mmCIF file of all heavy atoms in Angstrom:
data_model
loop_
_atom_site.group_PDB
_atom_site.id
_atom_site.type_symbol
_atom_site.label_atom_id
_atom_site.label_comp_id
_atom_site.label_asym_id
_atom_site.label_seq_id
_atom_site.Cartn_x
_atom_site.Cartn_y
_atom_site.Cartn_z
ATOM 1 N N GLN O 1163 13.625 -3.300 19.445
ATOM 2 C CA GLN O 1163 14.804 -3.100 20.289
ATOM 3 C C GLN O 1163 14.370 -2.838 21.736
ATOM 4 O O GLN O 1163 14.937 -3.402 22.683
ATOM 5 C CB GLN O 1163 15.607 -1.904 19.774
ATOM 6 C CG GLN O 1163 16.987 -1.843 20.368
ATOM 7 C CD GLN O 1163 17.731 -0.624 19.862
ATOM 8 O OE1 GLN O 1163 17.163 0.245 19.211
ATOM 9 N NE2 GLN O 1163 19.009 -0.575 20.142
ATOM 10 N N HIS O 1164 13.332 -2.010 21.843
ATOM 11 C CA HIS O 1164 12.829 -1.689 23.177
ATOM 12 C C HIS O 1164 12.318 -2.965 23.858
ATOM 13 O O HIS O 1164 12.647 -3.224 25.022
ATOM 14 C CB HIS O 1164 11.721 -0.647 23.026
ATOM 15 C CG HIS O 1164 11.148 -0.228 24.330
ATOM 16 N ND1 HIS O 1164 11.823 0.558 25.194
ATOM 17 C CD2 HIS O 1164 9.954 -0.496 24.928
ATOM 18 C CE1 HIS O 1164 11.089 0.776 26.272
ATOM 19 N NE2 HIS O 1164 9.935 0.143 26.137
ATOM 20 N N ALA O 1165 11.543 -3.760 23.080
ATOM 21 C CA ALA O 1165 10.954 -4.969 23.677
ATOM 22 C C ALA O 1165 12.058 -5.941 24.087
ATOM 23 O O ALA O 1165 12.010 -6.559 25.169
ATOM 24 C CB ALA O 1165 10.024 -5.630 22.657
ATOM 25 N N VAL O 1166 13.074 -6.056 23.207
ATOM 26 C CA VAL O 1166 14.158 -7.027 23.525
ATOM 27 C C VAL O 1166 14.918 -6.580 24.763
ATOM 28 O O VAL O 1166 15.225 -7.375 25.650
ATOM 29 C CB VAL O 1166 15.096 -7.179 22.315
ATOM 30 C CG1 VAL O 1166 16.365 -7.900 22.708
ATOM 31 C CG2 VAL O 1166 14.403 -7.956 21.211
ATOM 32 N N SER O 1167 15.169 -5.241 24.859
ATOM 33 C CA SER O 1167 15.939 -4.795 26.018
ATOM 34 C C SER O 1167 15.088 -4.961 27.289
ATOM 35 O O SER O 1167 15.621 -5.293 28.338
ATOM 36 C CB SER O 1167 16.439 -3.377 25.824
ATOM 37 O OG SER O 1167 15.538 -2.458 26.371
ATOM 38 N N GLU O 1168 13.773 -4.759 27.159
ATOM 39 C CA GLU O 1168 12.885 -4.997 28.303
ATOM 40 C C GLU O 1168 12.916 -6.456 28.732
ATOM 41 O O GLU O 1168 12.984 -6.767 29.911
ATOM 42 C CB GLU O 1168 11.450 -4.633 27.921
ATOM 43 C CG GLU O 1168 11.024 -3.326 28.479
ATOM 44 C CD GLU O 1168 9.504 -3.192 28.486
ATOM 45 O OE1 GLU O 1168 8.842 -4.055 27.900
ATOM 46 O OE2 GLU O 1168 9.021 -2.219 29.062
ATOM 47 N N MET O 1169 12.920 -7.318 27.706
ATOM 48 C CA MET O 1169 12.932 -8.755 27.996
ATOM 49 C C MET O 1169 14.235 -9.140 28.710
ATOM 50 O O MET O 1169 14.223 -9.940 29.674
ATOM 51 C CB MET O 1169 12.814 -9.559 26.702
ATOM 52 C CG MET O 1169 11.457 -10.206 26.577
ATOM 53 S SD MET O 1169 11.116 -10.617 24.875
ATOM 54 C CE MET O 1169 12.403 -11.770 24.550
ATOM 55 N N ARG O 1170 15.342 -8.550 28.240
ATOM 56 C CA ARG O 1170 16.629 -8.854 28.870
ATOM 57 C C ARG O 1170 16.618 -8.431 30.340
ATOM 58 O O ARG O 1170 17.049 -9.168 31.215
ATOM 59 C CB ARG O 1170 17.750 -8.104 28.139
ATOM 60 C CG ARG O 1170 18.095 -8.764 26.850
ATOM 61 C CD ARG O 1170 19.461 -8.290 26.379
ATOM 62 N NE ARG O 1170 19.725 -8.865 25.085
ATOM 63 C CZ ARG O 1170 19.955 -8.177 23.995
ATOM 64 N NH1 ARG O 1170 19.976 -6.866 24.048
ATOM 65 N NH2 ARG O 1170 20.186 -8.771 22.867
ATOM 66 N N GLN O 1171 16.079 -7.222 30.531
ATOM 67 C CA GLN O 1171 16.044 -6.699 31.892
ATOM 68 C C GLN O 1171 15.148 -7.575 32.767
ATOM 69 O O GLN O 1171 15.488 -7.890 33.896
ATOM 70 C CB GLN O 1171 15.471 -5.292 31.830
ATOM 71 C CG GLN O 1171 16.041 -4.410 32.893
ATOM 72 C CD GLN O 1171 15.378 -3.041 32.800
ATOM 73 O OE1 GLN O 1171 14.848 -2.679 31.747
ATOM 74 N NE2 GLN O 1171 15.411 -2.308 33.867
ATOM 75 N N PHE O 1172 14.041 -7.990 32.151
ATOM 76 C CA PHE O 1172 13.086 -8.841 32.850
ATOM 77 C C PHE O 1172 13.762 -10.146 33.280
ATOM 78 O O PHE O 1172 13.685 -10.558 34.437
ATOM 79 C CB PHE O 1172 11.911 -9.111 31.897
ATOM 80 C CG PHE O 1172 10.736 -9.774 32.553
ATOM 81 C CD1 PHE O 1172 10.246 -9.329 33.770
ATOM 82 C CD2 PHE O 1172 10.105 -10.824 31.922
ATOM 83 C CE1 PHE O 1172 9.144 -9.929 34.352
ATOM 84 C CE2 PHE O 1172 9.001 -11.440 32.505
ATOM 85 C CZ PHE O 1172 8.522 -10.980 33.722
ATOM 86 N N THR O 1173 14.465 -10.753 32.328
ATOM 87 C CA THR O 1173 15.119 -12.033 32.614
ATOM 88 C C THR O 1173 16.157 -11.859 33.727
ATOM 89 O O THR O 1173 16.227 -12.671 34.640
ATOM 90 C CB THR O 1173 15.844 -12.543 31.365
ATOM 91 O OG1 THR O 1173 15.019 -12.273 30.239
ATOM 92 C CG2 THR O 1173 16.116 -14.023 31.432
ATOM 93 N N SER O 1174 16.943 -10.755 33.619
ATOM 94 C CA SER O 1174 17.969 -10.616 34.647
ATOM 95 C C SER O 1174 17.319 -10.318 35.990
ATOM 96 O O SER O 1174 17.807 -10.748 37.034
ATOM 97 C CB SER O 1174 19.012 -9.565 34.246
ATOM 98 O OG SER O 1174 18.561 -8.302 34.586
ATOM 99 N N SER O 1175 16.193 -9.562 35.986
ATOM 100 C CA SER O 1175 15.504 -9.292 37.247
ATOM 101 C C SER O 1175 14.980 -10.587 37.850
ATOM 102 O O SER O 1175 15.083 -10.812 39.062
ATOM 103 C CB SER O 1175 14.312 -8.363 37.013
ATOM 104 O OG SER O 1175 14.759 -7.147 36.504
ATOM 105 N N ILE O 1176 14.419 -11.451 36.992
ATOM 106 C CA ILE O 1176 13.883 -12.732 37.500
ATOM 107 C C ILE O 1176 15.028 -13.525 38.135
ATOM 108 O O ILE O 1176 14.908 -14.043 39.238
ATOM 109 C CB ILE O 1176 13.263 -13.577 36.348
ATOM 110 C CG1 ILE O 1176 12.020 -12.895 35.822
ATOM 111 C CG2 ILE O 1176 12.901 -14.961 36.869
ATOM 112 C CD1 ILE O 1176 11.450 -13.575 34.601
ATOM 113 N N ALA O 1177 16.163 -13.582 37.395
ATOM 114 C CA ALA O 1177 17.302 -14.345 37.908
ATOM 115 C C ALA O 1177 17.708 -13.827 39.275
ATOM 116 O O ALA O 1177 17.962 -14.575 40.219
ATOM 117 C CB ALA O 1177 18.456 -14.236 36.913
ATOM 118 N N HIS O 1178 17.722 -12.467 39.344
ATOM 119 C CA HIS O 1178 18.135 -11.835 40.591
ATOM 120 C C HIS O 1178 17.151 -12.178 41.726
ATOM 121 O O HIS O 1178 17.543 -12.572 42.806
ATOM 122 C CB HIS O 1178 18.192 -10.332 40.372
ATOM 123 C CG HIS O 1178 18.687 -9.599 41.552
ATOM 124 N ND1 HIS O 1178 20.038 -9.527 41.849
ATOM 125 C CD2 HIS O 1178 18.028 -8.921 42.542
ATOM 126 C CE1 HIS O 1178 20.159 -8.835 42.959
ATOM 127 N NE2 HIS O 1178 18.971 -8.448 43.389
ATOM 128 N N GLU O 1179 15.862 -12.034 41.404
ATOM 129 C CA GLU O 1179 14.829 -12.288 42.436
ATOM 130 C C GLU O 1179 14.840 -13.731 42.902
ATOM 131 O O GLU O 1179 14.498 -14.026 44.037
ATOM 132 C CB GLU O 1179 13.448 -11.946 41.890
ATOM 133 C CG GLU O 1179 13.205 -10.464 41.659
ATOM 134 C CD GLU O 1179 13.317 -9.662 42.956
ATOM 135 O OE1 GLU O 1179 13.071 -10.205 44.055
ATOM 136 O OE2 GLU O 1179 13.697 -8.481 42.870
ATOM 137 N N LEU O 1180 15.193 -14.630 41.983
ATOM 138 C CA LEU O 1180 15.218 -16.039 42.367
ATOM 139 C C LEU O 1180 16.485 -16.383 43.139
ATOM 140 O O LEU O 1180 16.473 -17.236 44.020
ATOM 141 C CB LEU O 1180 15.103 -16.937 41.113
ATOM 142 C CG LEU O 1180 13.738 -16.968 40.430
ATOM 143 C CD1 LEU O 1180 13.834 -17.784 39.147
ATOM 144 C CD2 LEU O 1180 12.689 -17.574 41.350
ATOM 145 N N ARG O 1181 17.559 -15.664 42.794
ATOM 146 C CA ARG O 1181 18.832 -16.008 43.403
ATOM 147 C C ARG O 1181 18.842 -15.670 44.885
ATOM 148 O O ARG O 1181 19.326 -16.445 45.719
ATOM 149 C CB ARG O 1181 19.964 -15.272 42.695
ATOM 150 C CG ARG O 1181 21.307 -15.924 42.993
ATOM 151 C CD ARG O 1181 22.381 -15.256 42.225
ATOM 152 N NE ARG O 1181 22.387 -13.810 42.466
ATOM 153 C CZ ARG O 1181 23.209 -12.980 41.858
ATOM 154 N NH1 ARG O 1181 24.057 -13.434 40.968
ATOM 155 N NH2 ARG O 1181 23.170 -11.708 42.132
ATOM 156 N N THR O 1182 18.261 -14.524 45.221
ATOM 157 C CA THR O 1182 18.317 -14.093 46.620
ATOM 158 C C THR O 1182 17.684 -15.123 47.576
ATOM 159 O O THR O 1182 18.356 -15.601 48.484
ATOM 160 C CB THR O 1182 17.652 -12.699 46.773
ATOM 161 O OG1 THR O 1182 18.096 -11.906 45.689
ATOM 162 C CG2 THR O 1182 18.007 -12.065 48.083
ATOM 163 N N PRO O 1183 16.423 -15.507 47.356
ATOM 164 C CA PRO O 1183 15.855 -16.495 48.293
ATOM 165 C C PRO O 1183 16.580 -17.844 48.224
ATOM 166 O O PRO O 1183 16.750 -18.516 49.247
ATOM 167 C CB PRO O 1183 14.407 -16.644 47.873
ATOM 168 C CG PRO O 1183 14.293 -16.020 46.539
ATOM 169 C CD PRO O 1183 15.408 -15.062 46.383
ATOM 170 N N LEU O 1184 17.051 -18.215 47.021
ATOM 171 C CA LEU O 1184 17.736 -19.490 46.920
ATOM 172 C C LEU O 1184 19.035 -19.485 47.697
ATOM 173 O O LEU O 1184 19.386 -20.447 48.386
ATOM 174 C CB LEU O 1184 18.001 -19.840 45.447
ATOM 175 C CG LEU O 1184 16.805 -20.435 44.693
ATOM 176 C CD1 LEU O 1184 17.144 -20.645 43.227
ATOM 177 C CD2 LEU O 1184 16.372 -21.738 45.337
ATOM 178 N N THR O 1185 19.756 -18.345 47.620
ATOM 179 C CA THR O 1185 21.006 -18.239 48.404
ATOM 180 C C THR O 1185 20.688 -18.327 49.886
ATOM 181 O O THR O 1185 21.419 -19.012 50.658
ATOM 182 C CB THR O 1185 21.691 -16.871 48.115
ATOM 183 O OG1 THR O 1185 21.603 -16.634 46.735
ATOM 184 C CG2 THR O 1185 23.124 -16.875 48.559
ATOM 185 N N ALA O 1186 19.608 -17.661 50.291
ATOM 186 C CA ALA O 1186 19.222 -17.696 51.694
ATOM 187 C C ALA O 1186 18.927 -19.133 52.136
ATOM 188 O O ALA O 1186 19.422 -19.605 53.183
ATOM 189 C CB ALA O 1186 18.008 -16.789 51.919
#
Side-chain angles (χ1 to χ4, degrees):
Q1163 193 181 10
H1164 181 71
V1166 167
S1167 93
E1168 256 198 352
M1169 252 160 62
R1170 282 198 184 121
Q1171 211 182 339
F1172 190 46
T1173 320
S1174 84
S1175 299
I1176 294 173
H1178 184 79
E1179 291 299 332
L1180 288 175
R1181 198 176 54 183
T1182 318
L1184 279 176
T1185 318

